[in-house]
């Protein structure tokens, strides 16, 4: 049974005082892995899952578990929320570039002695035929593009497109889930609001028809958005790719199956 909790509000679950009580679990989400995980947890009567979303998407997909939208107020606020809701375990299934919430989760779980597991999809690796310029930040992408005008496909999310306003000589094609609005004030801009996944054929056709000369993206990893990397390889296009940020050193698994095994192992332990 699904439920939604308002922004910044609490999603209370029974305290895990008895062995028969469902185990309250917080899933930090916003990714395909988080959605897949809570779909599985919704069918587990021994687990009471709450999904937490940052609130960057105005119309998130409905999920079959209690959903909390909004920030916690840093690591301290998250630690208090975990204690108030009797959370017995936290799964960090956020985006690989959501470094701040991952750091807050690690610190909050340390403060509250709450077990934490991260779901970290493997990063993409350069393959034969890939023409990558790897950079440490989105801001560094602008320099990597060079001064000569190019037609650039930006797939870095809406939050950071403003960095490219300093290079208005390029023509930009920006694809995001949420509208870009006035975040990128440049004279030659095409915006596309779309939600994936996209196939290799979709991406190849799109880049060819749009006349793309270079792809700018983040090394998000996973299969869902990899077709754009494959399409750039097929079209022999250069890719400016942002390397992943440093993340907390916490126990991790590469996929949802690993997270489920970890949670089920915790069900067999005294609580």
């Amino acid at each position: 049974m699904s439920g939604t909790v308002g922004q910044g509000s609490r999603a209370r679950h029974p305290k895990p005082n008895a062995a028969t009580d469902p185990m309250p679990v917080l899933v930090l989400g916003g990714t395909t892995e988080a959605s897949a995980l809570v779909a599985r947890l919704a069918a587990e009567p021994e687990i009471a899952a709450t999904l937490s979303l940052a609130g960057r998407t105005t119309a998130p997909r409905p999920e079959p578990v209690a959903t909390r939208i909004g920030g916690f107020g840093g690591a301290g606020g998250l630690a208090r929320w975990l204690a108030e809701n009797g959370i017995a375990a936290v799964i960090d299934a956020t985006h690989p570039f959501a470094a701040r919430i991952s750091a807050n989760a690690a610190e909050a779980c340390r403060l509250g002695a709450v077990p934490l597991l991260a779901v970290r999809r493997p990063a993409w690796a350069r393959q034969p035929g890939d023409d990558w310029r790897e950079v440490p930040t989105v801001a560094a992408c602008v320099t990597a593009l060079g001064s000569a005008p190019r037609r650039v496909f930006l797939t870095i999310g809406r939050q950071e497109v403003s960095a490219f306003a300093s290079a208005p000589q390029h023509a930009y094609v920006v694809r995001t889930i949420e509208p870009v609005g006035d975040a990128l004030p440049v004279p030659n801009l095409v915006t596309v609001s779309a939600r994936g996944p996209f196939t290799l054929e979709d991406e190849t056709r799109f880049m060819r028809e749009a006349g793309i000369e270079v792809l700018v993206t983040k090394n998000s990893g996973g299969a869902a958005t990899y077709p754009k990397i494959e399409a750039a390889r097929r079209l022999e296009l250069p890719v400016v790719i942002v390397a992943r940020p440093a993340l907390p050193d916490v126990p991790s698994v590469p996929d949802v199956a690993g997270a489920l095994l970890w949670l089920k192992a915790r069900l067999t332990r005294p609580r």
Side-chain angles (χ1 to χ4, degrees), residues 11-84:
R12 292 192 175 276
H13 294 297
K15 299 285 184 180
N17 294 326
T20 56
D21 288 338
M23 182 173 70
V25 173
L26 176 66
V27 177
L28 301 173
T31 59
T32 54
E33 289 87 355
S35 293
L37 178 59
V38 297
R40 297 285 297 274
L41 295 182
E44 296 286 344
E46 295 177 299
I47 295 175
T50 296
L51 175 65
S52 174
L53 301 175
R56 292 181 177 176
T57 302
T58 56
R61 293 173 177 171
E63 301 288 1
V65 299
T67 301
R68 182 191 187 281
I69 299 176
F72 292 92
L78 176 54
R80 287 190 296 274
W81 193 93
L82 296 177
E84 290 169 356

Side-chain angles (χ1 to χ4, degrees), residues 19-260:
T20 56
D21 288 338
M23 182 173 70
V25 173
L26 176 66
V27 177
L28 301 173
T31 59
T32 54
E33 289 87 355
S35 293
L37 178 59
V38 297
R40 297 285 297 274
L41 295 182
E44 296 286 344
E46 295 177 299
I47 295 175
T50 296
L51 175 65
S52 174
L53 301 175
R56 292 181 177 176
T57 302
T58 56
R61 293 173 177 171
E63 301 288 1
V65 299
T67 301
R68 182 191 187 281
I69 299 176
F72 292 92
L78 176 54
R80 287 190 296 274
W81 193 93
L82 296 177
E84 290 169 356
N85 288 274
I87 299 298
V90 176
I91 303 290
D92 177 6
T94 57
H95 193 275
F97 282 80
R100 179 176 298 178
I101 184 58
S102 291
N104 287 344
E107 178 62 11
C109 289
R110 185 192 67 81
L111 291 171
V114 177
L116 169 67
L117 181 76
V119 179
R120 292 181 180 163
R121 65 179 81 142
W124 297 321
R126 191 192 305 260
Q127 301 296 320
D130 284 335
D131 181 9
W132 287 9
R133 280 78 161 164
E134 193 170 48
V135 296
T137 64
V138 169
C141 293
V142 180
T143 303
L145 286 174
S147 58
R150 308 170 86 177
R151 191 160 184 81
V152 181
F153 185 23
L154 291 183
T155 64
I156 58 168
R158 177 173 55 95
Q159 301 293 321
E160 297 179 272
V161 295
S162 60
F164 295 86
S166 62
Q169 73 274 21
H170 301 302
Y172 294 99
V173 177
V174 183
R175 186 174 69 197
T176 56
I177 295 175
E178 296 288 306
V180 172
D182 59 358
L184 183 54
V186 292
N188 197 336
L189 173 67
V190 174
T191 61
V192 179
S193 294
R195 187 192 296 268
F198 306 100
T199 68
L200 172 58
E201 296 305 321
D202 290 337
E203 296 289 56
T204 301
R205 182 172 55 254
F206 179 84
M207 291 188 202
R208 183 183 290 121
E209 292 178 354
I212 299 301
E213 296 175 282
V214 57
L215 168 67
V216 176
T217 191
K218 296 177 177 179
N219 194 335
S220 301
T225 58
Y226 188 65
K228 64 188 173 186
I229 301 295
E230 293 180 293
R233 183 189 309 136
R234 174 183 286 184
L235 296 170
E236 300 182 340
L237 299 179
V239 178
V240 178
I241 187 165
V242 184
R244 289 188 176 187
L247 295 173
D249 183 13
V250 301
S252 65
V253 293
D255 52 30
V256 169
L260 287 169

